[in-house]
Amino acid sequence: MNPEIRVRFAPSPTGYLHVGGGRTALFNWLFARHGGGKFVLRIEDTDKARNTPEAVAVILDGLRWLGLDWDEGPEVGGEHGPYFQSEREAIYERYFQKLLAAGCLYEDNGAWRFRSKREVVTVHDIVCGSIAFDLSNPETHPDMTIRRPDGSWIFHFVNVVDDIEMKISHVIRGEDHLSNTPKHLELFNALDVQPPAYAHIPLILNKDGSKMSKRDAGASIAGYVEGGFLPGAVRNYLSLLGWSPKDNREVLALDETVRLFDLAKVNRKNAHFDIEKCLWFNTQYLQKTSPAELRMLSLPFIEKAGIAVETPTALDPVLALVREKVKTLAEVPSWLGYFFTEEYPFDPQAVTKAFSTPVAFERLAALTLAWGAVESWDAAALELSLKQVAADLNSKPNELLLPTRVAVSGRGSGPNLFPMLEVLGRERTLSRLRHAHVIHAPVTQ
């Protein structure tokens, strides 16, 4: 453990965990784990009107879902608590009195303001480089408020006090906070404390360059949970939004990401969020799950969809068929529902395409007869038999494939047909083919 590396994630509990906050927490966590330091979770809950226990739970649940554990903070404790700003009033009052005694504060219409030295303040940033901020003009840079007339504290002050008290060595946060940093450095200087090192990471924007709002696709961590994403896939994708291992690799195991993570490799340019790319990562991770793990992960979504499965292990052969088709766990039910019920829906477009002529039903009748006589109900035997039926009918095999698929699944697409029929079984397949005549479709004249 490196006692000199201490980083923090300090969200405000306002109802949801934004993907940008999740990425900031991840970068802090990776930096701490890479350097053998500590990751501190601090809740900035001074806004009593907006902050609720439920909102705090959303943040904690979101971080846990991403696999980010904290060394100090809520539900964990630590020697630098409390870790809720709402419980640190006495600490803020003590530092307020220090500034007051040093002549750094003055009262202005009930509010307390910090008297700026009106200097050029240079921020030495690990990601952004050295940037000079001219604070000499009081019109463009008025003295910042420390305490409101109602006695509540302003973000800048409590943020600095907490970083001092919690012995934070590195502040890793979004670039939108870069303009706040000169004010924070003034406070550190006034309190005669060495400031932490700063690293302002690029913002996450939509593909069109606009700032992500909570209504945008992929903006909320909870949306990934509900949408059936795998935590590892989302974590992997977020790690590459602004950082790169510099070797063109994308799918990285967590331990390798920890080993490679370096703030010097964080890009200055804003990162653009692409939900399709995140889905691609999710498919990569889904393919790597074991049958037992995929079953466990899929079951909540299958149960939520109301699909009754006799035993969980009955899912394994079906999931093996559809796993290459699904991008998220939330899609699983729609791909396998027809395996577990005879009341499956029919896609109207698929029906129209498959059964636009009465010949389709005649072909299915011939196929049903042939398959009823196959000795071994396996994919190879079924495919060989279908080709023979097609030849006997002077048809192409493809002319039997779609009507068969639609008749037994109600869909025009799905996993490879013959392995699918093998899993579906002889009795159910033949029963569905025999009842294919009840499928209504427009008939061409």
Side-chain angles (χ1 to χ4, degrees):
M1 185 70 70
N2 185 342
E4 296 181 0
I5 293 180
R6 291 179 57 83
V7 296
R8 47 76 166 177
F9 177 53
S12 296
T14 55
Y16 80 116
L17 179 59
H18 189 275
V19 69
R23 195 273 309 258
T24 297
L26 174 59
F27 277 27
N28 276 278
W29 185 91
L30 288 170
F31 182 74
R33 296 294 174 260
H34 174 85
K38 289 193 174 182
F39 174 56
V40 179
L41 177 59
R42 183 171 83 216
I43 305 296
E44 299 193 338
D45 62 341
T46 53
D47 188 342
K48 297 176 182 178
R50 299 176 66 194
N51 302 155
T52 65
E54 292 77 15
V56 173
V58 167
I59 291 173
L60 302 189
D61 290 345
L63 293 176
R64 286 196 187 96
W65 183 81
L66 283 170
L68 307 182
D69 57 332
W70 48 97
D71 302 295
E72 297 177 24
E75 300 181 1
V76 173
E79 58 186 79
H80 301 287
Y83 294 94
F84 288 85
Q85 285 187 339
S86 59
E87 300 173 6
R88 298 174 62 80
E89 178 70 26
I91 298 172
Y92 303 141
E93 183 65 42
R94 190 170 77 247
Y95 277 82
F96 175 81
Q97 293 300 329
K98 281 185 182 181
L99 291 176
L100 191 62
C104 297
L105 304 180
Y106 65 92
E107 194 174 9
D108 179 21
N109 293 322
W112 287 92
R113 295 183 180 275
F114 176 79
R115 186 176 282 107
S116 173
K117 288 188 175 181
R118 300 291 161 212
E119 299 175 330
V120 174
V121 177
T122 300
V123 176
H124 300 287
D125 193 270
I126 297 171
V127 175
C128 302
S130 295
I131 303 174
F133 291 85
D134 187 354
L135 307 185
S136 61
N137 188 337
E139 292 186 6
T140 57
H141 294 86
D143 289 339
M144 64 176 150
T145 300
I146 292 296
R147 197 173 200 173
R148 300 182 184 92
D150 65 1
S152 60
W153 306 102
I154 293 294
F155 157 78
H156 304 294
F157 174 64
V158 294
N159 189 271
V160 166
V161 169
D162 287 345
D163 284 347
I164 292 172
E165 285 285 302
M166 295 180 184
K167 304 185 185 304
I168 300 303
S169 65
H170 296 74
V171 172
I172 305 168
R173 59 188 180 186
E175 196 174 345
D176 51 336
H177 284 290
L178 181 59
S179 60
N180 293 328
T181 308
K183 302 174 185 178
H184 297 177
L185 291 177
E186 282 193 305
L187 287 169
F188 278 108
N189 184 54
L191 290 165
D192 196 27
V193 175
Q194 178 72 28
Y198 285 93
H200 288 87
I201 59 181
L203 300 180
I204 299 177
L205 305 178
N206 289 314
K207 287 181 72 174
D208 62 4
S210 62
K211 188 175 181 179
M212 288 189 81
S213 74
K214 62 182 179 182
R215 291 175 297 277
D216 291 323
S220 169
I221 295 297
Y224 295 101
V225 182
E226 296 163 3
F229 283 77
L230 298 185
V234 176
R235 189 175 58 227
N236 192 157
Y237 178 59
L238 293 182
S239 73
L240 298 176
L241 288 179
W243 172 81
S244 169
K246 304 296 184 186
D247 58 5
N248 294 321
R249 283 185 300 161
E250 292 186 302
V251 179
L252 294 168
L254 182 58
D255 58 349
E256 191 170 16
T257 306
V258 168
R259 181 177 64 83
L260 295 171
F261 189 79
D262 183 356
L263 287 174
K265 293 180 181 178
V266 173
N267 304 319
R268 177 73 198 275
K269 188 169 67 172
N270 287 328
H272 287 80
F273 183 86
D274 183 351
I275 190 66
E276 290 301 320
K277 187 66 174 180
C278 191
L279 282 166
W280 178 85
F281 272 97
N282 207 57
T283 58
Q284 303 306 304
Y285 275 73
L286 276 173
Q287 299 317 312
K288 293 181 179 180
T289 56
S290 68
E293 185 180 11
L294 183 59
R295 180 206 317 143
M296 179 193 69
L297 293 168
S298 300
L299 263 174
F301 294 90
I302 293 169
E303 292 170 352
K304 185 179 179 182
I307 297 173
V309 182
E310 288 184 8
T311 62
T313 52
L315 285 169
D316 292 352
V318 181
L319 289 171
L321 289 174
V322 305
R323 68 185 301 156
E324 293 184 0
K325 298 292 183 179
V326 298
K327 293 181 179 179
T328 69
L329 295 167
E331 293 178 359
V332 169
S334 67
W335 283 93
L336 53 67
Y338 58 87
F339 281 94
F340 301 101
T341 179
E342 297 306 308
E343 301 298 324
Y344 52 93
F346 284 83
D347 176 8
Q349 290 184 323
V351 170
T352 298
K353 188 175 181 181
F355 299 104
S356 59
T357 169
V359 176
F361 294 103
E362 295 171 11
R363 290 169 179 155
L364 280 191
L367 185 61
T368 304
L369 192 63
W371 277 353
V374 293
E375 189 172 324
S376 175
W377 190 266
D378 60 66
L382 293 172
E383 182 174 10
L384 189 64
S385 179
L386 181 140
K387 289 179 178 178
Q388 184 60 55
V389 170
D392 293 343
L393 296 175
N394 199 26
S395 301
K396 297 177 180 177
N398 284 349
E399 293 176 308
L400 280 76
L401 294 178
L402 184 59
T404 302
R405 180 182 294 280
V406 175
V408 300
S409 71
R411 302 169 56 106
S413 62
N416 189 292
L417 178 63
F418 300 107
M420 181 182 96
L421 296 174
E422 182 178 330
V423 171
L424 197 58
R426 183 190 297 266
E427 290 185 14
R428 283 191 295 170
T429 299
L430 295 180
S431 174
R432 293 178 185 190
L433 289 177
R434 291 189 189 105
H435 289 87
H437 65 276
V438 303
I439 302 171
H440 299 287
V443 179
T444 55
Q445 299 298 324

